[in-house]
Amino acid sequence: MAKFRTLDDVNVKGKRVLLRVDLNVPMDNGRVTDATRLERVAPTITELADKGGKVILLAHFGRPKGRDPKESLKPVAEALANVVNKSVAFADDCIGEPAAKAVAAMQDGDILCLENTRFHKEEEKNDPAFVAELAKLGDIWVSDAFSASHRAHASTEGLGHKLPAYAGRTMQAELDALEKALGSPTKPVIAIIGGAKVSTKIDLLENLVTKVDALVIGGGMANTFLHAQGVAVGKSLCEKDLAATAVRIMEKAEAANCAIILPVDATVAYHFAANAPSHAYGLDAIPADGMILDVGPQSIVRIHAAIDDAATLVWNGPVGAFEMQPFDRGTVAAARHAAERTKAKKLISIAGGGDTVAALNQAGVGSDFTYVSTAGGAFLEWMEGKPLPGVEVLRIK
């Protein structure tokens, strides 16, 4: 893997550091309700400030169409100040006079947050003139927003062509973890892929069967594969029109010597509701009016065995309707088993995607995995084998 420039490769003292971070946090009534993303970028911000850099934060928030006070980063900057335990100044634009004045007033070690980059439509267009306006404010560009690196926007990719570019510590940790997962992993490698629909993960499955030794498929997706094999899945969520796609993926897996592990039994209910009466059935006995809402007990044993056989695990998506008890049982059991193996130093475990993070936290093991990515779309595109513009620009050519 080509090396990336990191903060170890630059002296930031006295330099204006344009630092692209992910501050797109959940808010309610002007208050940040989950500070995970702020906590993730805090080490990079603190390190740059402590080393005497002038830290100038660039970030987007929401999907504004032009200026919108509801999408201002000002309350986020205030919450960030509490997380980094330093004062964070704010400029009410990311280019032009307000930004230039605020940057000019900075001392070494100061932190300044510029207003939402997406208040300018040129940000998402990666407009060269807009990139040039941003670049005027800094001497170097540091990207610490892996979660936005699948977008070729001005602040996530364009600046990397105008200024010396480096990976921040969060970006570096993410790239190291991803390299351990699929770049040059310790074999054997298994992937657990769940979620509702095959249609959203075709590229992912097609890439993974060429990279991993075994692929566990769960969630609503598994029903489509079972249907393709002639299993009657009753009223379960199932994309019957994708049966041929499922067959193609299974054939590709066989050619690549990748074992596909599907459920061998299922937990079935008649209503999609928490604590709905449920029962475990073998695949030959799924009731015609029943819904598969989780893997069954024998399938959990099979998933545990697959985890036991692996040296590296990549996980994206729950294996059942984990938001509702008791249909979280399969996901929670697998997560806890993987966490135990990880703690025993027998497994490298990498997980990512919004539902996956929520499921691991629900199982109480979010901090026990080797690495948990909060990067959603970027994590998925990376798993699909697609180059990410905001990562490619950081490679040492």
Side-chain angles (χ1 to χ4, degrees):
M1 171 169 130
K3 196 172 168 300
F4 298 90
R5 289 179 296 270
T6 71
L7 298 185
D8 298 327
D9 304 316
V10 62
N11 175 10
V12 299
K13 187 164 174 55
K15 289 200 166 74
R16 299 171 303 160
V17 183
L18 284 175
L19 174 60
R20 181 50 160 101
V21 286
D22 182 356
L23 303 182
N24 202 17
V25 291
M27 303 276 286
D28 186 36
N29 287 330
R31 294 179 66 82
V32 174
T33 55
D34 180 354
T36 306
R37 285 183 162 169
L38 306 186
E39 288 155 7
R40 283 267 168 121
V41 296
T44 300
I45 295 170
T46 306
E47 180 180 342
L48 290 169
D50 289 349
K51 286 181 174 174
K54 296 172 180 173
V55 188
I56 304 155
L57 305 177
L58 291 170
H60 74 276
F61 183 72
R63 296 169 183 259
K65 299 281 176 269
R67 266 193 175 274
D68 181 350
K70 290 199 293 293
E71 309 270 15
S72 172
L73 276 172
K74 192 168 189 193
V76 184
E78 288 162 8
L80 180 65
N82 293 329
V83 173
V84 297
N85 220 3
K86 294 175 186 284
S87 69
V88 176
F90 186 76
D92 69 3
D93 204 346
C94 61
I95 57 168
E97 194 182 349
K101 265 185 160 167
V103 170
M106 293 177 82
Q107 305 291 316
D108 293 358
D110 281 357
I111 303 166
L112 167 69
C113 181
L114 302 182
E115 184 57 283
N116 195 339
T117 55
R118 286 193 186 170
F119 280 0
H120 299 268
K121 63 182 186 298
E122 296 82 1
E123 155 77 342
E124 293 180 74
K125 292 179 178 168
N126 207 353
D127 179 272
F130 183 67
V131 174
E133 282 299 305
L134 290 173
K136 277 184 199 168
L137 302 170
D139 303 306
I140 65 169
W141 175 69
V142 174
S143 178
D144 216 26
F146 177 81
S147 50
S149 64
H150 57 315
R151 311 263 186 237
H153 293 171
S155 67
T156 61
E157 193 264 354
L159 280 169
H161 298 287
K162 292 286 283 185
L163 295 172
Y166 303 89
R169 296 304 183 198
T170 311
M171 175 73 86
Q172 185 182 352
E174 191 97 30
L175 296 175
D176 286 349
L178 300 187
E179 179 64 8
K180 274 187 193 141
L182 288 186
S184 51
T186 308
K187 288 181 163 276
V189 187
I190 73 155
I192 296 177
I193 303 298
K197 295 185 172 181
V198 173
S199 51
T200 59
K201 295 191 178 178
I202 293 170
D203 291 351
L204 173 63
L205 296 170
E206 296 217 339
N207 184 46
L208 285 179
V209 294
T210 65
K211 295 271 179 76
V212 302
D213 301 291
L215 176 59
V216 175
I217 298 176
M221 295 171 62
N223 303 335
T224 302
F225 280 81
L226 294 172
H227 165 73
Q229 292 184 327
V231 175
V233 295
K235 291 188 171 171
S236 310
L237 177 67
C238 179
E239 294 173 290
K240 292 183 175 170
D241 56 326
L242 288 181
T245 303
V247 169
R248 185 182 76 231
I249 290 167
M250 288 188 277
E251 287 169 351
K252 191 172 178 180
E254 194 173 354
N257 216 9
C258 165
I260 297 253
I261 298 170
L262 290 168
V264 290
D265 60 348
T267 299
V268 176
Y270 297 91
H271 307 286
F272 188 74
N275 301 310
S278 61
H279 193 277
Y281 290 93
L283 295 182
D284 56 349
I286 307 291
D289 54 349
M291 271 182 286
I292 297 171
L293 293 182
D294 195 10
V295 292
Q298 290 169 293
S299 301
I300 293 173
V301 171
R302 283 195 80 188
I303 294 171
H304 286 187
I307 292 169
D308 290 343
D309 287 343
T312 302
L313 163 68
V314 186
W315 189 335
N316 174 260
V319 298
F322 82 101
E323 313 90 337
M324 304 185 297
Q325 289 184 334
F327 311 110
D328 59 345
R329 208 169 277 156
T331 302
V332 167
R336 288 181 179 161
H337 193 73
E340 287 301 318
R341 299 281 298 171
T342 306
K343 284 195 285 192
K345 304 276 189 284
K346 290 176 178 167
L347 185 69
I348 293 165
S349 50
I350 316 285
D355 278 353
T356 315
V357 177
L360 297 187
N361 289 338
Q362 191 170 314
V365 296
S367 57
D368 294 331
F369 271 52
T370 308
Y371 189 81
V372 178
S373 171
T374 56
F379 180 79
L380 215 53
E381 286 198 20
W382 169 81
M383 281 180 76
E384 289 167 359
K386 296 173 180 170
L388 308 182
V391 169
E392 295 305 309
V393 77
L394 297 170
R395 288 186 192 273
I396 296 171
K397 301 290 189 284

